[in-house]
Amino acid sequence: QRTHYIEDNGRQLTEMTIGAVIQSLLVFSFFVMFPGGNSQIVRSFSSKMRIRQRTRAKKGSCKPSLSRYFPPGEALLPSPRRKVLGSIFERANERLEVNPSRSWDKNAILAVTFDLDDTIWKGSDVIMKANENMHNWIKKNAPTCSEKYNPQAFRDLMYSLKDSIPSISHNYTALRHKALQIALAETGSDIVLADIALEQFVSARHEVELYDDSLRALRNLREKGLIVGAVTNGNAEIWRIESLKEMFDFAIRAEDAGERKPGSAPFDLAMQCCRHLLDEVKLDSDQELKLGRENVLHVGDSIKDDVVGARNAGLISAWLARDSGEERSNLKKESGADCVVITLDELCSKL
């Protein structure tokens, strides 16, 4: 991937250099042919040439290291989404204000990232059903394994691997697959069945039950021209969920980031993805726009993973305290979040 990326950059640099030479020759020819030519025409021509060069250089490009976080097959933003995000530049001056106090400032927020399990959908329910689906399949196809490793015994085995194999402790897919191989091998079953058993879990893992306000909130934020991303410790792939695959501009899982929240790696990648999207939109404008961490809000249900993680990474944080009966002031003090909301509708009203 690195070799291809270097080769692509080399071609892009060559194209841009040739384009710059051609532009200079054309402008020079214009002055020779029309000594008294309108300077406004020349400036307009030069500006269009610069945009065209940048577009050619970046068209269809996405850094190999980032491509996995964007929708499959999407080299550039779809035109409608590109137009909506372009509104960021129209309000850049009023939104990109310094926020040294790190306090809640809706005018400074240009992007929102969401946790998924127990934030966008009912995480505990879907994981329980996925486990049931996997164990039912094992019971039929590897009964001796099922007898020794009931759901609780398998769970204990899987979580014990987090300590014994720290290199995959952040990766629930790898942990589950390894645990399946061990369980099958110990009971004399074919370890090839691990791949099929894992798929039984993964397929059911994507049959999520959304909260009532999730789609409504995601659409609302997208229509406002905010970048919308996902940052999750889970292994659900957002692009496999029909109702959500067009609701997010990017999605980052712990297994891809190499670290779980509250570690900084997932949030650092979120910043890179946001900046990449703005670079794509910037092709249509000469205006410079620098996205800071104070311009990105992360929303989630976990104080440890989402609130503390986001704040340590320099992002603004919002704690989603669904079904909480406590006073709002107590919740904010307890969590340390910049903002506390009970529903995603409430979050939208604050942005």
Side-chain angles (χ1 to χ4, degrees):
Q1 284 185 332
R2 185 177 295 120
T3 301
H4 291 317
Y5 182 49
I6 292 172
E7 290 175 352
D8 289 342
N9 278 350
R11 284 194 295 270
Q12 291 174 8
L13 181 60
T14 301
E15 288 181 2
M16 293 180 69
T17 303
I18 293 173
V21 172
I22 293 173
Q23 177 187 344
S24 300
L25 290 173
L26 288 173
V27 172
F28 176 75
S29 299
F30 181 88
F31 277 116
V32 171
M33 295 173 66
F34 306 101
N38 192 323
S39 59
Q40 181 63 34
I41 295 176
V42 175
R43 284 196 297 271
S44 176
F45 171 78
S46 299
S47 177
K48 289 179 180 178
M49 285 295 292
R50 284 196 301 273
I51 293 174
R52 180 174 296 179
Q53 288 168 19
R54 285 178 5 218
T55 302
R56 288 183 63 195
K58 300 190 93 175
K59 185 178 181 181
S61 67
C62 180
K63 293 181 180 179
S65 59
L66 295 180
S67 60
R68 73 180 72 176
Y69 308 119
F70 294 97
E74 293 286 353
L76 291 174
L77 286 166
S79 296
R81 185 62 179 149
R82 188 186 189 90
K83 183 177 181 180
V84 172
L85 288 183
S87 64
I88 287 178
F89 289 93
E90 297 176 5
R91 66 179 190 276
N93 291 333
E94 64 185 61
R95 284 214 165 203
L96 286 181
E97 299 175 354
V98 178
N99 189 14
S101 65
R102 307 294 304 158
S103 60
W104 177 265
D105 180 3
K106 70 175 184 178
N107 291 322
I109 295 169
L110 296 177
V112 183
T113 62
F114 288 91
D115 171 56
L116 295 178
D117 288 306
D118 296 319
T119 296
I120 298 298
W121 60 66
K122 300 175 182 179
S124 300
D125 293 345
V126 70
I127 292 174
M128 181 178 67
K129 291 177 182 177
N131 274 315
E132 288 178 359
N133 198 52
M134 183 189 76
H135 285 289
N136 288 337
W137 186 91
I138 294 174
K139 188 174 183 179
K140 293 178 181 179
N141 296 275
T144 54
C145 178
S146 179
E147 290 174 5
K148 180 175 181 179
Y149 285 99
N150 60 36
Q152 185 57 52
F154 180 82
R155 177 184 171 86
D156 292 342
L157 169 63
M158 179 176 148
Y159 278 86
S160 71
L161 298 178
K162 295 178 72 172
D163 295 325
S164 59
I165 314 177
S167 61
I168 60 172
S169 61
H170 62 283
N171 188 333
Y172 281 128
T173 301
L175 285 170
R176 185 173 298 276
H177 188 256
K178 187 64 177 177
L180 283 167
Q181 289 180 324
I182 292 173
L184 289 165
E186 284 185 0
T187 55
S189 303
D190 189 346
I191 64 170
V192 173
L193 296 177
D195 294 343
I196 307 174
L198 179 64
E199 183 53 34
Q200 304 307 306
F201 176 88
V202 172
S203 60
R205 179 75 165 89
H206 293 88
E207 297 174 3
V208 299
E209 181 182 355
L210 303 180
Y211 288 104
D212 293 339
D213 55 4
S214 295
L215 284 178
R216 186 167 57 247
L218 292 170
R219 290 193 185 102
N220 182 293
L221 296 176
R222 288 171 67 84
E223 289 170 1
K224 288 181 178 181
L226 297 172
I227 293 172
V228 178
V231 181
T232 176
N233 281 344
N235 56 359
E237 188 175 356
I238 204 75
W239 320 122
R240 291 182 59 167
I241 303 173
E242 192 66 28
S243 60
L244 291 175
K245 66 181 183 180
E246 295 184 355
M247 293 293 105
F248 290 89
D249 296 307
F250 65 88
I252 295 165
R253 301 178 299 174
E255 62 187 65
D256 297 321
E259 183 181 24
R260 289 168 47 83
K261 297 178 297 183
S264 64
F267 298 108
D268 292 342
L269 279 171
M271 288 302 305
Q272 291 183 46
C273 289
C274 288
R275 287 166 179 160
H276 175 75
L277 287 169
L278 290 186
D279 283 344
E280 294 290 355
V281 177
K282 193 168 64 176
L283 295 175
D284 300 327
S285 171
D286 279 334
Q287 184 175 351
E288 292 296 325
L289 180 60
K290 293 183 179 180
L291 186 79
R293 291 176 184 258
E294 69 276 8
N295 306 124
V296 179
L297 167 69
H298 179 71
V299 185
D301 70 295
S302 169
I303 294 177
K304 176 185 175 183
D305 294 339
D306 297 308
V307 174
V308 175
R311 286 182 65 82
N312 287 347
L315 278 61
I316 303 299
S317 63
W319 182 33
L320 178 61
R322 293 187 185 274
D323 303 321
S324 176
E326 292 186 49
E327 290 292 332
R328 196 66 54 89
S329 58
N330 293 338
L331 292 173
K332 193 172 188 301
K333 183 178 180 180
E334 174 190 346
S335 67
D338 295 296
C339 175
V340 175
V341 294
I342 305 301
T343 67
L344 293 182
D345 288 329
E346 182 184 356
L347 174 75
C348 291
S349 71
K350 294 178 176 292
L351 293 174

